[in-house]
Amino acid sequence: MIASVDHASGFFGSTLRRLDAWLRGTPKPLAKEHLSRTISLARIVLIVGLVFLHYQTYPNSDASPFDGLDPANHPVATFINSFVLFFFFSAVPLLSMLSGWLFFSTMGGRDVLLAKIRHRVRTLYVPLVGWNLIFLAALALLYLSVPDHPLFAEINLRFQDASPWDFVNAVFALTHHPVGYQFWFVRDLFVTVLVSPLLALLLQRLPYVGLFVLGAAWLVGHDLWIFFRTDVAFFFYLGGLIAMRRIGLRIAPGPTIVLMLLYLFLVGLRAWAPAFVDMVDQRPEWLTGATRAMRLVGVAACWGTFLWLAQTRPGERMARFGGLAFFLFAMHFPMLAAIKWMLWPWVPAHTDAWMLIHYIGSVAITIALGLTAGQLMSRYLPRGFALMNGGRVLERSAAPRAPATDDAGKDRGLEMAPPAGGEAAKPMQQV
């Protein structure tokens, strides 16, 4: 049995090394400043993508973008919405992988690991509770004044028949998604950190067995009894494996182009799937599994693109907003849902063109308000901003600094990110 495990580990190890050699091209290491800027750029771009993803269904359509386009009604608008959604399905995996890479890049003894876990209580769980308390209070006031507001169809809490335990979960996300649904990711990331001693043991003793078990659970959609979704744990572990095996994060331009073209093709094909796959009763399981698997291509394609873009002037400018990524992520929902319903009565006609204008406008206003609020709060209420931003301080320098670490290995870089979806009167779907 041990021999079989060693053989499997050797096979996975050699395959990973060959893949790494093709992706990196030249073995030239990444400059520290380039890597830091790329991480900041990835954070803000992927969070902006998640805002687009969380727009969900058009108000005049019953077709879920998680299924794909609606061939019969508004195919152009529904295809674009679905295409963007599936493209940014790579956001949570990539952000999780970077979080795992940062977490395991500075390994130490038990005391260091416990210090990292305590640090994540402040940077992950405290903001989760704080933001959801704010959301719950605001929604409760809205419910008391306008109980039939369409916004309540977008959230996963039914005030009219919610139990005390539902309200506990709405804030603390213990066994159910919180009212700020995007925080399902922060909750799962925090749980992943809590079990990091076990993950560290697997990475040291049976690295590829752990990768296979978590990967299989993710592909088949098993939550392992403690997660909402296992993609966070799997990609966090993958990032840890890359860190502990000292595998370079460089992806050469050639493989990046190939991967991005392949990913765009897969995303387009998936968004077009309802035109040739029967989804009347339910989405086929094989299609759900294939949708999950294509994220592997998306992670590599997007990371390679960010590496290139971070070296350009536009990339440098966008990376300066990296410190606001968590704040935008935290604030954008249910604000986006409210803006979406506020703007809809102003749409003059329910055509594809006007639907897309509403889609882009709702997201653009949400992003603008979130970034503006974050900048104003960081300037005039810096302590409150730091608390709500998970301890992340907004950089004022021309170029973002590399993620700093202290003696306890408390990386202050990327340890977050996020989607919306849920179990509500109008449930947000998952793949």
Side-chain angles (χ1 to χ4, degrees):
M1 178 65 180
I2 299 298
S4 299
V5 171
D6 290 341
H7 178 74
S9 298
F11 171 76
F12 283 115
S14 61
T15 302
L16 198 59
R17 284 191 293 272
R18 286 195 295 269
L19 178 61
D20 174 56
W22 176 72
L23 290 173
R24 285 196 295 162
T26 60
K28 181 181 177 181
L30 288 171
K32 190 175 183 180
E33 183 180 351
H34 182 197
L35 179 58
S36 174
R37 188 184 303 123
T38 303
I39 291 176
S40 294
L41 176 63
R43 293 178 70 190
I44 189 62
V45 172
L46 292 175
I47 296 306
V48 167
L50 285 173
V51 180
F52 274 95
L53 188 155
H54 297 161
Y55 173 88
Q56 294 286 312
T57 304
Y58 292 104
N60 64 323
S61 174
D62 292 328
S64 169
F66 287 88
D67 289 333
L69 90 166
D70 184 349
N73 301 292
H74 307 292
V76 175
T78 55
F79 174 81
I80 292 175
N81 186 8
S82 186
F83 183 94
V84 173
L85 179 143
F86 286 123
F87 182 89
F88 283 106
F89 265 16
S90 60
V92 164
L94 180 50
L95 290 167
S96 300
M97 190 179 75
L98 290 172
S99 294
W101 181 83
L102 286 166
F103 188 90
F104 288 108
S105 287
T106 53
M107 283 301 294
R110 183 183 66 177
D111 291 341
V112 172
L113 194 58
L114 291 176
K116 288 186 176 187
I117 294 173
R118 287 195 297 269
H119 177 63
R120 270 33 177 222
V121 174
R122 297 193 302 273
T123 61
L124 294 175
Y125 199 66
V126 169
L128 180 153
V129 173
W131 278 102
N132 281 290
L133 275 172
I134 293 173
F135 293 150
L136 183 61
L139 289 167
L141 290 174
L142 179 63
Y143 180 74
L144 291 174
S145 57
V146 191
D148 58 346
H149 195 284
L151 175 61
F152 293 110
E154 300 277 348
I155 65 173
N156 57 0
L157 180 67
R158 295 175 57 88
F159 278 87
Q160 62 268 34
D161 53 17
S163 67
W165 183 244
D166 291 330
F167 287 107
V168 170
N169 270 319
V171 175
F172 297 99
L174 300 179
T175 61
H176 193 272
H177 301 98
V179 66
Y181 181 81
Q182 66 273 28
F183 278 97
W184 75 265
F185 170 75
V186 173
R187 182 268 190 192
D188 269 9
L189 184 56
F190 180 65
V191 173
T192 303
V193 168
L194 290 180
V195 299
S196 60
L198 174 59
L199 300 183
L201 183 64
L202 286 171
L203 286 167
Q204 292 167 350
R205 303 289 179 84
L206 297 168
Y208 299 107
V209 171
L211 187 69
F212 175 80
V213 171
L214 287 173
W218 163 59
L219 285 174
V220 301
H222 197 291
D223 60 14
L224 295 179
W225 303 283
I226 59 173
F227 300 105
F228 292 146
R229 282 169 37 182
T230 44
D231 48 350
V232 175
F234 169 67
F235 283 96
F236 186 92
Y237 185 90
L238 179 60
L241 181 63
I242 291 172
M244 295 186 71
R245 295 283 159 164
R246 299 292 187 264
I247 299 172
L249 291 177
R250 175 181 295 278
I251 299 182
T256 295
I257 294 172
V258 172
L259 289 168
M260 183 54 75
L261 290 175
L262 175 60
Y263 189 51
L264 291 172
F265 171 76
L266 293 174
V267 168
L269 192 65
R270 178 61 189 86
W272 196 262
F276 53 87
V277 176
D278 183 13
M279 297 189 193
V280 174
D281 296 323
Q282 64 179 15
R283 185 189 309 137
E285 284 300 320
W286 66 265
L287 184 61
T288 298
T291 305
R292 293 192 183 108
M294 75 182 190
R295 290 169 175 164
L296 291 167
V297 180
V299 165
C302 289
W303 178 247
T305 302
F306 291 137
L307 284 171
W308 165 78
L309 186 58
Q311 301 179 86
T312 67
R313 185 65 62 84
E316 287 184 32
R317 291 174 178 171
M318 286 188 286
R320 295 172 191 172
F321 291 93
L324 288 166
F326 186 93
F327 191 89
L328 176 61
F329 158 75
M331 184 179 180
H332 83 272
F333 190 88
M335 181 174 68
L336 172 60
I339 292 172
K340 171 181 166 181
W341 284 105
M342 287 173 61
L343 293 181
W344 186 248
W346 295 89
V347 173
H350 294 177
T351 63
D352 287 62
W354 279 111
M355 290 165 67
L356 287 170
I357 290 172
H358 178 267
Y359 167 56
I360 296 170
S362 300
V363 172
I365 292 173
T366 301
I367 293 170
L369 288 176
L371 294 179
T372 301
Q375 288 179 321
L376 290 175
M377 192 172 180
S378 70
R379 182 176 297 277
Y380 298 108
L381 295 170
R383 291 187 178 180
F385 174 80
L387 177 66
M388 301 306 289
N389 204 37
R392 301 160 186 85
V393 179
L394 184 62
E395 292 287 352
R396 299 291 181 188
S397 58
R401 293 195 300 262
T405 58
D406 55 27
D407 293 337
K410 302 174 183 177
D411 62 80
R412 312 222 183 252
L414 177 74
E415 44 186 16
M416 50 117 339
E423 302 159 28
K426 184 177 180 180
M428 292 172 147
Q429 302 176 43
Q430 301 180 36
V431 175

